[in-house]
Amino acid sequence: MTGSPASDAAHISSALPAGEQAVLDAVPTQLYIAGQWCDGAGGDTVAVDDPATGETIAEVADATPDDALAALGAAHDAWYGGWRDSPPRERSDILRRAYEAIVERADDLALLMTLEMGKPLAESKAEVTYGASFLRWYAEEAVRLDGRFTMHEAGGGRLLTMKQPVGPCVFITPWNFPLAMGTRKIGPAIAAGCTIVVKPAKLAPLSTLMLAKILEQAGLPGGVLNVITTRSSGSVMEPVIRDPRTRKLSFTGSTRVGRRLMAHAADQILRVSMELGGNAPFVVFEDADVDDAVHGAMVAKMRNVGEACTAANRFHVAQPIAAEFADRLAEKMGALKIGRGTDDGVEVGPLIDEDQLEKVAELVDDAVAKGARVLCGGERVDGPGHFYKPTVLADVPDDARLLKEEIFGPVAPVAAFASEDEALAAANDTEFGLVAYLYTADVKRALRVSERIETGMVGLNQGLVSNAGAPFGGIKHSGIGREGGPEGIAEFLETKYVAIAID
Ligand code: NAP
């Protein structure tokens, strides 16, 4: 193990602008275990590339299974060593200090995020604000944990109900929101008195490492948060998930991987939270304000270049306004400026890698081969990086794959419907159930459809649902559990009941 994280940074990028290099140089690139920054036991590293250029910008430590088990050991020791009994005010103050540090350094953190995963700077800044809001929210919740004390219904006894931290947690997070997907778990877990091993995605691990450094500087004791980076997530994390010292698994990522991790978790009857894939319908009724709907569609579709679990994946629009909606959406999508997220005025960054780019192109080609019309885009951008043009497809047939599969790219397929029942049937015709967007001016319809739509969240006349105070999560194959709001901290608390005789 070694000392200062910053001095151990092992960045290999060259010829980056000085501001970008300075931001990268501030990031610790080692594992963080028991309050120490250290190399992986095998001594290897994993390259982190800028998706806009394909250039390697950093090398982070490549953990072995033993490193991950050491991290779990540290989380276990820190929990039994006192964190579970730490004063709620102490936990709250640490989260508050970290929140303030993030806000103060928002520009640098946004640049870091853009460098590692490509989204335009303005969007990175928005994620920094959103990510920090979970630390603030749970700083406020940490001192409000309570229980119940009631009389036995027959008298003569008392019922005491208390909330206790679940214990050491394992978190696995994706690359698409590299800060917020971490803080949404780490904030409530720290507030509840849990300890943590977190493994960010190898494609974008730098924001999580920086977050760990900020929490360390905010006074978080060693061992409460441990960070593992690795190129071999399956073989490194499976032993940790199967280890009886782990008490909770919280995963954000694809349904395919989530299903596999739930199977590992079953052996220990591990508590799990699963934030998985989506296939969000965006439904526009005839009575909707089309201007509002197009504005909301841009937000719901283009946030994160469409690489969001909440991204509107398909647009179901009432027949009489479908053509107008598609044309106006195409006009706006076609006018967006594409480029490296650090460049002025850029609104659309690259996709994360070549695999993702090929998948998006394949889904568009499939829809076009089946009869969809391309209103704008429909092709990749030549040159370095993984860029795909914002695309609107009209007259998309029911059997097009992109109506069923998560696109994860800047592609908006528009299909028309003839009635409310037909719209609902189409919207619910998916194994996913994360979020739906509804546009209508009719209050009765809004409530009727909100109740019947099979998703965990609904955006009603708005294209964005994420909020630290709200329960984020899905049903069906989109997941189990909620993040954010009071529900988010409940995921990290066990309920204990004490039956008390008083006479
Ligand atoms: P992914 O491939 O499932 O990866 C997610 C995380 O799991 C990464 O850290 C990945 O690490 C790790 N992982 C992959 N295989 C693993 C294994 N066998 N054992 C342990 N860990 C493993 O998903 P992604 O491509 O990063 O993210 C996109 C998906 O996440 C989309 O489906 C999206 O909808 C979903 N998502 C959901 C939410 C939500 O709140 N519901 C939010 C954001 C994203 P490596 O990549 O380093 O291998």
Side-chain angles (χ1 to χ4, degrees), residues 280-301 312-329 412-424 426-427 436-442 445-446 449 453 458-463:
F282 190 106
V283 184
V284 187
F285 290 98
E286 193 178 345
D287 54 47
D289 179 321
V290 178
D291 277 343
D292 276 1
V294 170
H295 174 75
M298 291 296 289
V299 175
K301 179 73 257 180
N313 206 56
R314 54 212 164 95
F315 294 78
H316 299 286
V317 185
Q319 186 81 59
I321 57 168
E324 181 193 354
F325 175 87
D327 286 344
R328 283 164 71 174
L329 186 61
V414 181
F417 66 79
S419 67
E420 185 179 305
D421 283 347
E422 195 182 305
L424 256 170
Y437 303 95
L438 306 178
Y439 273 75
T440 174
D442 178 342
R445 169 179 271 157
V449 178
I453 204 123
V458 175
L460 195 50
N461 294 321
Q462 62 179 57

Side-chain angles (χ1 to χ4, degrees), residues 173 175 184 199 202 233 252-254 275-276 309 406 472:
T173 56
W175 48 263
R184 215 161 71 165
K199 189 210 77 66
K202 60 179 171 292
S233 45
T252 300
S254 62
E275 297 287 348
L276 307 177
C309 53
E406 196 176 27
F472 186 106

Side-chain angles (χ1 to χ4, degrees), residues 318-359:
Q319 186 81 59
I321 57 168
E324 181 193 354
F325 175 87
D327 286 344
R328 283 164 71 174
L329 186 61
E331 200 180 310
K332 283 198 180 297
M333 296 261 288
L336 293 172
K337 183 174 174 190
I338 306 172
R340 188 173 187 238
T342 48
D343 293 347
D344 273 353
V346 163
E347 297 161 294
V348 181
L351 294 169
I352 190 71
D353 61 12
E354 196 59 27
D355 287 352
Q356 190 55 36
L357 182 63
E358 276 169 20
K359 187 188 147 204

Side-chain angles (χ1 to χ4, degrees), residues 131-437:
S133 71
F134 288 97
L135 303 188
R136 178 178 58 185
W137 179 275
Y138 288 108
E140 291 155 358
E141 291 287 288
V143 291
R144 311 252 184 275
L145 303 177
D146 56 17
R148 284 200 314 271
F149 186 74
T150 53
M151 184 187 283
H152 190 293
E153 62 178 323
R158 298 292 183 266
L159 318 178
L160 171 64
T161 307
M162 63 178 84
K163 297 287 182 188
Q164 296 185 302
V166 299
C169 301
V170 171
F171 295 164
I172 299 178
T173 56
W175 48 263
N176 61 344
F177 290 94
L179 183 72
M181 296 304 94
T183 56
R184 215 161 71 165
K185 300 180 193 299
I186 291 168
I190 288 177
C194 294
T195 56
I196 299 154
V197 176
V198 59
K199 189 210 77 66
K202 60 179 171 292
L203 292 173
L206 304 179
S207 294
T208 305
L209 289 162
M210 201 61 203
L211 174 66
K213 183 173 170 181
I214 287 170
L215 280 159
E216 179 186 41
Q217 289 168 342
L220 192 70
V224 174
L225 175 69
N226 305 275
V227 185
I228 290 296
T229 50
T230 177
R231 73 172 73 245
S232 318
S233 45
S235 58
V236 166
M237 296 312 285
E238 184 176 342
V240 177
I241 295 168
R242 290 186 183 279
D243 192 296
R245 292 173 294 180
T246 299
R247 295 292 176 80
K248 161 105 193 168
L249 168 66
S250 181
F251 171 73
T252 300
S254 62
T255 299
R256 180 184 62 81
V257 173
R259 184 178 286 120
R260 186 168 173 180
L261 300 187
M262 282 180 77
H264 301 338
D267 273 356
Q268 297 295 334
I269 319 292
L270 201 56
R271 290 175 61 122
V272 295
S273 297
M274 292 277 147
E275 297 287 348
L276 307 177
N279 177 8
F282 190 106
V283 184
V284 187
F285 290 98
E286 193 178 345
D287 54 47
D289 179 321
V290 178
D291 277 343
D292 276 1
V294 170
H295 174 75
M298 291 296 289
V299 175
K301 179 73 257 180
M302 292 309 295
R303 183 169 174 236
N304 232 33
V305 203
E307 292 175 324
C309 53
T310 50
N313 206 56
R314 54 212 164 95
F315 294 78
H316 299 286
V317 185
Q319 186 81 59
I321 57 168
E324 181 193 354
F325 175 87
D327 286 344
R328 283 164 71 174
L329 186 61
E331 200 180 310
K332 283 198 180 297
M333 296 261 288
L336 293 172
K337 183 174 174 190
I338 306 172
R340 188 173 187 238
T342 48
D343 293 347
D344 273 353
V346 163
E347 297 161 294
V348 181
L351 294 169
I352 190 71
D353 61 12
E354 196 59 27
D355 287 352
Q356 190 55 36
L357 182 63
E358 276 169 20
K359 187 188 147 204
V360 170
E362 194 182 301
L363 289 174
V364 171
D365 293 348
D366 167 78
V368 171
K370 288 172 178 160
R373 276 188 306 123
V374 179
L375 298 189
C376 68
E379 58 187 0
R380 63 181 294 163
V381 177
D382 289 337
H386 318 292
F387 294 93
Y388 196 85
K389 291 185 183 170
T391 298
V392 177
L393 302 176
D395 306 331
V396 178
D398 289 349
D399 61 344
R401 281 175 51 202
L402 43 51
L403 296 183
K404 306 275 180 228
E405 297 177 31
E406 196 176 27
I407 304 169
F408 242 53
V411 178
V414 181
F417 66 79
S419 67
E420 185 179 305
D421 283 347
E422 195 182 305
L424 256 170
N428 287 338
D429 184 20
T430 170
E431 73 269 28
F432 294 107
L434 187 63
V435 61
Y437 303 95

